[in-house]
């Protein structure tokens, strides 16, 4: 076990961090049950109690009992524990044994516990929510007196001290060797520059050390609050090919470097020397480019969804292997959904049934080829319909977006398909902090699932997809505990998941219609289903293909597609 003072120094915290009246910076962490918690979201509470937690500490049981007693006694106070040393499974198991009643937050990188000045397990602090400053620190046995003083708005109670805590010393993760040239710049180049570049969707470009130094406080903030990188899936469920998250050791290296003053150090500047070409189209020049009819977006007001139509210009049926929407104006264009309708001279308007989709565009989307040996058949003469959602931003513009289509040379083995789970009867009560509704569908055939996409609007808070199998068991395929409307991610399974016929897929969304949600247009309104962003949606898209009988008849065939359980 290393000395705690060394661990705290690593994260830029001196002994002053142990004093009362220290301001607690915002953070967001998942708890041992998979729910997301943001500290400053609790501004409607009168106070927040934070307590350090470690499974192996003998003092933890008594500390939890004291915390539980305070939790039952004081209204208007939030109680949270922070664990910087144990993994989720260990915490959940131990929590049941000692009767934990409050969420235990998973501080896997160790940055939050260190920044709070926690040196020992079973150490508590009381934070005032009117200024986010520490009002008291000490052993949980002193919580009652501290809360009485804080809630009575009397003088700040006397500070507890580290010496008053009898819990075990916390061994924070090993100190990383951090160098801007060797560690920080390569990390940013690999994970951030794809958006933070000239012409990228990031609001500023990571061009050199000076830019990083200037934006270091912001980088620390968005890492601590998990706004960046934009990845919102709970890592306990499933593995995804497009995972944008940072590993705990990467978070630790980046934050500790910033808290040390973002030193330049020796060596070259890899960001300044970065010589990378960013193609206009992610997969190179498409086989077919279709101009979406331009639309004049006003400077302000509400733009109803637009549905421009284009005929497939090809005179032959083709199989599509990938598509990409090239936005004309990223600020005005919120999303695009494409559908095509097959030609049928005998039908009204000359077109028959809806044939399928050709991808789309949402903030943060990245072009990807369809899964191997799959494709979408686009008939000659088909009518392509675009759903265009525009959001005015103070400047009148003309959007001229394009659809790029990549084709197979030969027909693929499988037709790509899927389903959508949509509930148009949702009603979200006024001021509801966590209102949930669901939609389910039973699969009639064996399928191989490739990706899952949850969609909600400004009030979206959390979402998940759960498979309920014919044998009575169930499995979480995807959990998004901190949904972000600004990033409409399609979560691509690293290993496609086989779901047998009879499986019931349940898609659940939770909305936050309270004033605590800073994006909420109107907390006092009952919110129905609607296309515009001030209304809401429960919409889940599942991409899959049907499995043939020979692929699932044998145990070998089943195992080939089943892969590892999503929880592993």
């Amino acid at each position: 076990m290393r000395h705690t003072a060394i661990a705290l120094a690593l994260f830029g915290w001196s002994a002053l961090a142990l004093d009362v009246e220290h301001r607690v910076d915002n953070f967001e962490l998942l708890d041992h049950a998979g729910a997301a918690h943001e500290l400053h979201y609790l501004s409607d509470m009168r106070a927040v109690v934070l307590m350090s937690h470690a499974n192996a500490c003998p003092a933890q049981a008594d500390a939890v009992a004291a915390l539980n007693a305070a939790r039952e006694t004081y209204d208007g106070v939030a109680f949270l524990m922070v664990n910087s040393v144990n993994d989720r499974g260990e915490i959940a198991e131990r929590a049941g044994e000692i009767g934990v009643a409050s969420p235990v937050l998973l501080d896997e990188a160790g940055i939050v516990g260190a920044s709070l000045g926690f040196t020992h397990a079973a150490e508590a602090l009381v934070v005032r929510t009117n200024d986010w400053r520490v009002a008291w620190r000490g052993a949980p046995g002193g919580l009652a007196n501290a809360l009485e003083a804080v809630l009575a708005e009397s003088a700040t109670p006397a500070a507890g001290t580290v010496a008053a805590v009898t819990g075990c010393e916390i061994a924070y993760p090993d100190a990383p060797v951090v160098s801007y040239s060797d560690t920080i710049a390569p990390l940013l180049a690999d994970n951030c520059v794809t958006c933070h570049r000239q012409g990228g969707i990031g609001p500023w470009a990571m061009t050199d050390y000076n830019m990083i130094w200037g934006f270091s406080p912001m980088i620390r903030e968005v890492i601590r609050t998990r706004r960046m990188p934009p990845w919102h899936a709970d890592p306990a469920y499933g593995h995804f090919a497009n995972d944008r998250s940072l590993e705990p050791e990467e978070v630790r290296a980046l934050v500790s470097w910033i808290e040390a003053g973002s030193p330049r150090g020796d060596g070259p500047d890899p960001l300044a020397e970065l010589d990378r070409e960013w193609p206009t189209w992610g997969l190179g020049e498409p086989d077919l480019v279709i101009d979406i009819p331009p639309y004049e977006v006003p400077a302000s007001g509400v733009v109803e969804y637009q549905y421009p139509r284009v005929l497939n210009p090809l005179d032959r049926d083709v199989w599509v292997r990938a598509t990409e929407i090239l936005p004309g104006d990223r600020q005005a264009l919120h999303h695009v959904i494409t559908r095509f309708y097959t030609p049928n001279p005998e039908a009204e308007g000359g077109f028959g049934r809806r044939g399928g989709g050709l991808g789309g565009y949402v903030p943060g989307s990245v072009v990807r080829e369809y899964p191997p040996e799959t494709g979408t058949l686009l008939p000659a003469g088909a009518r392509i319909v675009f759903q265009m959602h525009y959001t005015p931003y103070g400047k009148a513009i003309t959007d001229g977006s394009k659809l790029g289509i990549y084709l197979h040379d030969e027909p693929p083995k499988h037709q790509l398909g899927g389903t959508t789970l949509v509930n148009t009867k949702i009603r979200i009560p006024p001021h509801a902090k966590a209102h949930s509704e669901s939609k389910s569908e039973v699969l009639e055939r064996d399928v191989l699932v490739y990706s899952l996409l949850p969609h909600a609007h400004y009030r979206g808070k959390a979402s998940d997809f759960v498979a309920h199998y014919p044998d009575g068991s169930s499995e979480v395929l995807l959990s998004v505990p901190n949904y972000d409307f600004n990033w409409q991610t399609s979560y691509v399974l690293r290993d496609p998941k086989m779901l047998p016929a009879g499986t019931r897929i349940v898609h659940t969304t939770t909305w936050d219609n309270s004033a605590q949600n800073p994006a909420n247009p109107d907390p006092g309104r009952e919110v129905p289903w609607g296309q515009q962003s001030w209304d809401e949606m429960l919409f889940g898209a599942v991409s899959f293909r049907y499995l043939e009988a020979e692929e699932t008849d044998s145990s070998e065939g089943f195992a080939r597609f089943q892969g590892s359980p999503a929880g592993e």
Side-chain angles (χ1 to χ4, degrees):
M1 181 180 296
R2 298 181 315 284
H3 293 295
T4 303
I6 296 175
L8 294 177
L10 163 67
F11 291 92
W13 294 98
S14 67
L16 293 177
L18 303 179
D19 293 339
V20 294
E21 295 303 314
H22 168 72
R23 190 177 192 279
V24 180
D25 292 335
N26 197 17
F27 63 82
E28 180 178 289
L29 294 171
L30 299 186
D31 69 22
H32 66 293
H37 299 265
E38 182 180 355
L39 178 65
H40 287 188
Y41 177 83
L42 300 170
S43 60
D44 60 336
M45 296 286 103
R46 300 175 65 189
V48 176
V49 174
L50 298 169
M51 188 176 80
S52 53
H53 179 276
N55 273 7
C57 186
Q60 197 71 70
D62 290 341
V64 166
L67 195 72
N68 290 348
R71 187 172 183 268
E72 292 295 323
T73 303
Y74 296 98
D75 295 328
V77 179
F79 294 85
L80 301 168
M81 288 180 277
V82 178
N83 188 305
S84 304
V85 294
N86 299 115
D87 67 34
R88 184 162 168 174
E90 295 171 337
I91 294 171
E93 181 178 358
R94 179 62 172 159
E97 294 174 357
I98 63 175
V100 169
S102 301
V104 181
L105 308 189
L106 311 175
D107 181 28
E108 296 170 313
I111 63 172
V112 172
S115 71
L116 293 171
F118 283 143
T119 60
H120 293 71
E123 180 179 0
L125 54 86
V126 177
V127 181
R128 297 189 301 259
T129 55
N130 61 347
D131 60 4
W132 297 111
R133 294 188 180 278
V134 176
W136 176 88
R137 178 187 297 272
L143 264 178
N145 290 337
L147 285 171
E148 291 287 348
V150 171
L151 298 182
E153 298 182 346
S154 61
T156 301
T161 64
V162 174
V165 179
T166 58
C168 312
E169 187 177 5
I170 296 174
Y172 285 96
D174 290 334
V177 178
V178 178
S179 155
Y180 170 77
S181 182
D182 297 334
T183 306
I184 301 303
L187 186 157
L188 297 175
D190 291 342
N191 295 279
C192 308
V193 173
T194 182
C195 291
H196 289 272
R197 58 178 174 85
Q198 298 297 334
I201 64 174
W204 58 281
M206 294 183 173
T207 53
D208 57 20
Y209 166 77
N210 290 325
M211 289 295 290
I212 304 305
W213 179 84
F215 280 98
S216 285
M218 178 184 289
I219 295 173
R220 176 181 179 270
E221 177 192 357
V222 299
I223 293 293
R224 283 173 56 92
T225 57
R226 299 200 173 197
R227 285 161 47 204
M228 290 288 148
W231 183 255
H232 307 97
D234 185 340
Y237 305 105
H239 304 283
F240 301 94
N242 56 334
D243 189 341
R244 294 185 292 243
S245 64
L246 296 178
E247 295 295 329
E249 57 269 21
E250 294 175 315
V251 170
R252 192 157 55 246
L254 183 55
V255 172
S256 64
W257 177 76
I258 293 171
E259 292 180 345
S262 307
R264 171 64 178 88
D266 299 325
D269 186 346
L271 292 181
E273 299 174 1
L274 190 63
D275 184 18
R276 185 183 300 176
E277 292 187 6
W278 302 98
T280 302
W281 298 94
L283 297 177
E285 189 65 24
D287 297 296
L288 173 65
V289 176
I290 294 177
D291 292 321
I292 301 174
Y295 183 77
E296 295 183 4
V297 182
S300 61
V302 177
V303 177
E304 297 296 330
Y305 280 27
Q306 301 299 305
Y307 293 91
R309 304 172 180 182
V310 176
L311 288 178
N312 174 17
L314 300 178
D315 59 1
R316 68 189 191 282
D317 295 350
V318 293
W319 282 91
V320 178
R321 66 179 176 88
T323 62
E324 181 179 8
I325 297 287
L326 190 64
D329 189 304
R330 292 184 186 272
Q331 286 184 271
L333 183 64
H334 179 265
H335 78 250
V336 182
I337 297 175
T338 64
R339 290 286 184 185
F340 66 86
Y341 294 80
T342 57
N344 183 356
E346 299 179 0
E348 182 179 352
F351 294 92
R353 64 180 181 84
R354 189 168 70 180
L358 292 172
Y361 166 81
V362 291
S365 61
V366 178
V367 61
R368 286 184 177 274
E369 289 194 75
Y370 296 167
E373 301 182 327
T374 70
T376 297
L377 179 63
L378 176 62
R383 182 171 69 185
I384 303 172
V385 180
F386 301 89
Q387 182 193 83
M388 312 291 290
H389 182 190
Y390 293 109
T391 55
Y393 62 94
K395 176 183 177 182
I397 60 97
T398 300
D399 178 66
S401 299
K402 301 176 183 293
L403 168 65
I405 299 177
Y406 300 86
L407 304 177
H408 280 290
D409 294 329
E410 300 291 337
K413 291 177 62 176
H414 308 288
Q415 171 87 33
L416 185 63
T419 189
T420 54
L421 302 170
V422 178
N423 183 349
T424 61
K425 298 180 180 180
I426 60 173
R427 288 293 184 274
I428 305 169
H431 308 293
K433 272 196 166 186
H435 176 77
S436 301
E437 297 195 32
S438 301
K439 179 66 175 181
S440 65
E441 179 176 324
V442 177
L443 298 173
E444 297 180 354
R445 295 173 56 186
D446 298 340
V447 302
L448 190 64
V449 175
Y450 294 112
S451 65
L452 302 154
L453 168 67
H455 175 75
H457 292 162
Y458 290 132
R459 297 171 177 85
K461 181 176 184 176
S463 192
D464 63 33
F465 291 82
V466 179
H468 296 267
Y469 296 116
D471 65 1
S473 64
S474 63
E475 180 180 4
V476 177
L477 303 177
L478 169 69
S479 175
V480 179
N482 53 340
Y483 177 85
D484 187 343
F485 178 59
N486 296 305
W487 296 93
Q488 305 286 326
T489 301
S490 179
Y491 296 87
V492 181
L493 296 175
R494 189 178 67 190
D495 299 311
K497 184 73 177 177
M498 188 272 185
L499 300 182
T503 298
R504 182 168 60 96
I505 303 178
V506 179
H507 173 49
T508 302
T509 292
T510 301
W511 299 272
D512 179 359
N513 195 23
S514 74
Q516 295 306 108
N517 176 0
N520 192 348
D522 184 1
R525 175 173 175 251
E526 181 184 67
V527 185
W529 166 277
Q531 291 185 328
Q532 294 292 348
S533 300
W534 55 77
D535 291 328
E536 270 303 336
M537 284 190 178
L538 190 160
F539 178 101
V542 184
S543 171
F544 60 69
R545 72 169 176 86
Y546 291 111
L547 289 170
E548 303 300 330
E550 60 270 18
E551 295 181 278
T552 57
D553 280 347
S554 67
S555 59
E556 292 81 6
F558 181 87
R560 173 187 170 200
F561 292 117
Q562 190 64 8
S564 299
E568 290 186 1

